[in-house]
Amino acid sequence: MAKKVAVIGAGVSGLASIRCCLEEGLEPTCFERSNDVGGLWKFSEHVEEDRASIYPSVFTNSSKEMMCFPDFPYPEDYPNFMHHGKLQEYIRTFAEKKNLLRYIQFETLVTSVKKCPSFLVTGQWEVVSEKNGKQESTIFDAVMVCSGHHVYPNLPNDSLPGLGQFQGHYLHSREYKGPEAFKGKRVLVIGLGNSGCDIAVELSRLATQVMISTRSGSWVMSRVWEDGYPWDRVYITRFASFLQNALPSFLSDWLYVKKMNTCFKHENYGLMPLNGALRKEPVFNDELPSRILCGTLSIKPGVKEFTETSAVFEDGTMFEAIDFVIFATGYAYAYPFLDDSIIKSRNNEVTLFKGIFPPMMEKPTLAVIGFVQSLGAAIPTADQQARWAAKVFANSCTLPTTKEMMDDIDMKMGKKLKWFGQSQTLQTDYVTYMDELGSFIGAKPNIPWLFLTDPQLALQVFFGPCSPYQFRLMGPGKWEGARKAILTQWDRTVKPIRTRAVSEAHRPQPFYNLFKSLLFPLLLLPVLLALY
């Protein structure tokens, strides 16, 4: 009998999980509370309870060649950065082509996931679901939690004195559905994340005045990077990851800050992070510096307190006669159907081995897919996580002991604090993490072997973009089209933008860019070593 696996949520993590279960001979049943796949990317004109919500103008921050399922490239005419509707179209097509819809129970809410009385022996779970007011209880051999973490808004009501007496309107960015209601108004946006900046930039064209309040600042990157290429096509490479981990920290930090300040000096715009060397996820916005230059948007420090009509900032300045406050303050992670102690098994903190498995479980039959965050795209990350989890459920892979897992979590936590600072999310370096998971399932690219057997491919894999196809290039789950997809990826990048061909298409020159970036540090290094 095939093991039965409950998959909770039919977003990109849920679809990856269904597919990976099928690859391992498991029997998945997916529960999705809405009437379609897509999760976060399924747009609704109205905010729906207990569902992620996006605004009409959302575009992706990862480019198409870096955010596809590893064996399912986007059509070559798709834009590099997609409107949410275009991405939803791709997700739906993937589900149809891979024949995944038949495993999904739509408009079905999971209300409870509990260990069976025989869990110590069987590792089984009782899953209670509800549809049309009727509840049903089913026993599963394993559970994959794929319900995301952009559902429950984090509103800092208790930490902002005077908010209760504020007479204007306030809302969370989750409720924002367009700029029309803010025309001619004075708007304060609290939070310098992607949503906060998107909304503030959009409002700055219609509102009378817009200010963004930030406590810690942030690096701001454009989607258009060196030589006009999508940022992640030149930024996320194996070679860049190797340098980041191999170079002395002072040199790595200097290079990082220099790179982030390439387009404009953040300190001049009030955006400079308090700790610029931290690798926290930057903000992706192509227009924010321009709107600041044009005077339609301003950056202010954190809010100290509210009055009836104004906000007082930490530097003593005020923003008066505010009509709206929009809290772009992120989300609290919560899985209301699951006992909190399973995910937060120590000090009320999320404790997951590799961001997936609760280490204290007597049986490794529950996995959280899509919780880890990195600069890499969510789709290939979820696919890699789901492949490993499905193999663990199928007994093709085994987990270390509880002590070994906890020791690994502690070690990674120390590195996380060094690289990313204190945060509630599980942040990690994309290439390192993907390779780590790939090594568990035998899918990590063997770079030395590639240089010996296929130098053309090896150069693209090591120096070119770390695209998702690399993780279906060899080992179990290998995709025969991976090599061709890697070698032709730049054609699909250029195709939708080169609509007027006047000469041969240009390709990146990684060695020239590398030489340009490292010339000064390489000259400086002998001097510093001599001083020490």
Side-chain angles (χ1 to χ4, degrees):
M1 292 287 291
K3 288 186 177 180
K4 296 170 63 179
V5 181
V7 178
I8 303 173
V12 294
S13 297
L15 294 178
S17 296
I18 297 170
R19 194 264 290 267
C20 293
C21 284
L22 295 172
E23 288 180 334
E24 293 301 316
L26 305 173
E27 186 181 313
T29 299
C30 179
F31 301 97
E32 169 56 45
R33 68 173 299 151
S34 75
N35 61 0
D36 200 359
V37 298
L40 172 69
W41 296 103
K42 179 187 177 294
F43 175 75
S44 171
E45 293 182 358
H46 308 285
V47 178
E48 299 176 15
E49 185 181 359
D50 295 336
R51 275 204 70 245
S53 176
I54 56 176
Y55 37 94
S57 56
V58 166
F59 279 76
T60 63
N61 290 330
S62 297
S63 65
K64 66 174 182 178
E65 289 297 305
M66 301 296 280
M67 67 175 299
C68 62
F69 287 99
D71 59 345
F72 199 73
Y74 290 87
E76 62 177 11
D77 60 342
Y78 268 44
N80 283 281
F81 295 102
M82 290 165 287
H83 184 257
H84 64 77
K86 206 72 173 172
L87 179 56
Q88 175 67 1
E89 183 181 307
Y90 167 82
I91 294 169
R92 178 81 189 186
T93 302
F94 174 80
E96 292 171 349
K97 294 287 186 181
K98 298 296 183 181
N99 199 23
L100 306 180
L101 298 176
R102 58 186 291 202
Y103 300 98
I104 305 173
Q105 296 183 16
F106 290 106
E107 298 179 332
T108 304
L109 172 68
V110 171
T111 59
S112 172
V113 175
K114 293 182 179 178
K115 296 177 182 178
C116 288
S118 61
F119 183 83
L120 290 176
V121 177
T122 63
Q124 291 180 326
W125 299 83
E126 180 188 9
V127 176
V128 179
S129 58
E130 183 178 311
K131 183 171 185 175
N132 298 327
K134 296 181 180 179
Q135 288 196 339
E136 181 179 348
S137 176
T138 312
I139 304 300
F140 287 94
D141 298 297
V143 175
M144 302 177 89
V145 179
C146 309
S147 53
H149 50 90
H150 293 93
V151 177
Y152 302 101
N154 178 33
L155 279 168
N157 294 357
D158 299 332
S159 61
L160 286 174
L163 183 60
Q165 62 177 324
F166 176 64
Q167 295 179 353
H169 305 279
Y170 67 88
L171 64 150
H172 191 270
S173 58
R174 181 175 185 270
E175 301 172 63
Y176 177 81
K177 289 295 180 179
E180 293 77 15
F182 302 88
K183 185 175 181 179
K185 305 298 183 182
R186 294 166 61 84
V187 183
L188 173 64
V189 178
I190 297 181
L192 190 65
N194 287 309
S195 296
C197 289
D198 280 352
I199 292 169
V201 164
E202 188 167 71
L203 292 181
S204 69
R205 298 186 182 92
L206 289 177
T208 299
Q209 189 171 2
V210 179
M211 288 190 179
I212 297 178
S213 167
T214 174
R215 288 180 300 177
S216 56
S218 177
W219 295 117
V220 177
M221 289 176 65
S222 171
R223 294 178 177 89
V224 185
W225 205 236
E226 292 175 353
D227 297 325
Y229 295 109
W231 74 271
D232 49 0
R233 305 286 290 144
V234 292
Y235 190 86
I236 301 180
T237 70
R238 290 183 174 279
F239 184 64
S241 179
F242 165 76
L243 283 181
Q244 176 178 288
N245 291 289
L247 289 175
S249 59
F250 75 91
L251 187 54
S252 175
D253 292 347
W254 181 85
L255 281 171
Y256 179 72
V257 172
K258 183 176 182 294
K259 178 71 73 174
M260 290 295 106
N261 262 328
T262 298
C263 296
F264 66 95
K265 301 300 180 186
H266 283 64
E267 53 267 43
N268 292 346
Y269 287 72
L271 295 166
M272 186 72 180
L274 293 179
N275 187 342
L278 290 180
R279 269 55 166 189
K280 283 186 175 182
E281 182 179 358
V283 170
F284 291 94
N285 198 289
D286 307 302
E287 300 179 71
L288 181 64
S290 173
R291 304 312 292 174
I292 295 173
L293 277 177
C294 292
T296 60
L297 195 157
S298 305
I299 307 296
K300 300 296 289 183
V303 173
K304 181 181 179 182
E305 62 179 343
F306 281 96
T307 68
E308 292 182 350
T309 59
S310 307
V312 181
F313 299 107
E314 291 171 348
D315 61 359
T317 59
M318 295 180 67
F319 183 24
E320 299 179 322
I322 300 173
D323 296 299
F324 285 94
V325 176
I326 300 177
F327 289 99
T329 45
Y331 294 84
Y333 45 80
Y335 302 107
F337 49 81
L338 196 63
D339 190 317
D340 238 14
S341 64
I342 293 175
I343 305 295
K344 301 177 181 179
S345 57
R346 185 178 62 179
N347 300 329
N348 203 36
E349 295 177 347
V350 172
T351 313
L352 296 170
F353 180 58
K354 306 305 179 188
I356 301 172
F357 289 102
M360 301 294 191
M361 299 281 291
E362 299 88 351
K363 296 284 184 179
T365 56
L366 184 138
V368 181
I369 308 299
F371 189 76
V372 168
Q373 289 187 309
S374 73
L375 261 187
I379 292 178
T381 304
D383 184 78
Q384 195 84 322
Q385 292 178 327
R387 290 171 72 187
W388 182 40
K391 285 184 177 296
V392 170
F393 296 159
N395 297 322
S396 300
C397 292
T398 56
L399 297 183
T401 64
T402 296
K403 183 182 184 307
E404 290 171 332
M405 288 191 282
M406 292 302 297
D407 288 346
D408 182 85
I409 290 170
D410 290 338
M411 182 186 71
K412 292 291 193 301
M413 183 60 70
K415 187 172 183 180
K416 176 200 161 194
L417 289 172
K418 175 186 174 184
W419 283 101
F420 304 103
Q422 187 68 46
S423 70
Q424 290 188 323
T425 56
L426 298 182
Q427 297 189 44
T428 186
D429 173 68
Y430 176 71
V431 178
T432 303
Y433 182 68
M434 293 290 280
D435 273 352
E436 195 170 30
L437 297 186
S439 67
F440 296 153
I441 61 178
K444 177 184 175 181
N446 188 331
I447 307 298
W449 176 251
L450 281 179
F451 271 107
L452 288 172
T453 59
D454 195 341
Q456 180 189 13
L457 179 63
L459 288 170
Q460 284 293 323
V461 169
F462 189 69
F463 291 103
C466 188
S467 49
Y469 318 118
Q470 294 189 12
F471 302 101
R472 292 270 181 174
L473 187 60
M474 52 185 62
K478 174 182 176 181
W479 176 45
E480 293 302 325
R483 182 183 188 276
K484 181 180 178 182
I486 292 170
L487 295 178
T488 58
Q489 58 187 327
W490 285 109
D491 296 332
R492 291 186 299 279
T493 300
V494 174
K495 172 72 174 179
I497 59 176
R498 195 166 177 264
T499 53
R500 175 178 172 261
V502 293
S503 62
E504 288 296 317
H506 183 267
R507 297 288 184 272
Q509 305 294 326
F511 295 106
Y512 169 72
N513 292 332
L514 169 66
F515 176 76
K516 186 173 65 175
S517 299
L518 291 183
L519 180 60
F520 179 73
L522 288 174
L523 292 173
L524 183 65
L525 187 57
V527 178
L528 293 172
L529 291 175
L531 291 174
Y532 281 101

